Amino acid sequence: MGKRLELNENDHLILNADGSLSGEFGGAVTRGTWVVRDGFWCRELSAGPRGPSPEDCQLWAQEGSSINVTRDQGRGGSFVYEIS
């Protein structure tokens, strides 16, 4: 909680203990909510580079200071966050 999750130099998220998230992606302020449900990290964005976004439940696996993320309940595209 409260750590910066970096996708690259410009894109990042910060997850808060109250279930809110904030950050910046593609130069756009990103805000939303998150919850862990049924083993997935689920987020819904109220603001982001493409505007509001419906819920996406993702499979997260942490390895040291990296988090491997696979969208759409582990069936979609993947990327890696670095914890800073």
Side-chain angles (χ1 to χ4, degrees), residues 4-13 24-26 67 69 78-84:
R4 185 178 169 110
L5 304 180
E6 296 180 345
L7 189 59
N8 55 47
E9 289 182 13
N10 300 313
D11 299 333
H12 70 277
L13 279 182
E24 185 173 330
F25 279 82
I67 299 175
V69 178
S78 297
F79 56 92
V80 177
Y81 281 125
E82 293 297 326
I83 302 169
S84 64

Side-chain angles (χ1 to χ4, degrees), residues 12-84:
H12 70 277
L13 279 182
I14 297 173
L15 308 182
N16 301 303
D18 67 358
S20 66
L21 63 85
S22 61
E24 185 173 330
F25 279 82
V29 171
T30 302
R31 301 228 184 284
T33 58
W34 68 272
V35 65
V36 174
R37 184 173 53 247
D38 299 326
F40 297 101
W41 184 83
C42 301
R43 61 97 174 122
E44 188 170 346
L45 301 180
S46 56
R50 295 181 200 112
S53 176
E55 183 176 79
D56 178 25
C57 292
Q58 305 169 349
L59 182 61
W60 281 32
Q62 184 174 350
E63 295 179 24
S65 64
S66 298
I67 299 175
N68 298 303
V69 178
T70 306
R71 300 188 66 182
D72 192 21
Q73 294 185 328
R75 297 180 301 247
S78 297
F79 56 92
V80 177
Y81 281 125
E82 293 297 326
I83 302 169
S84 64

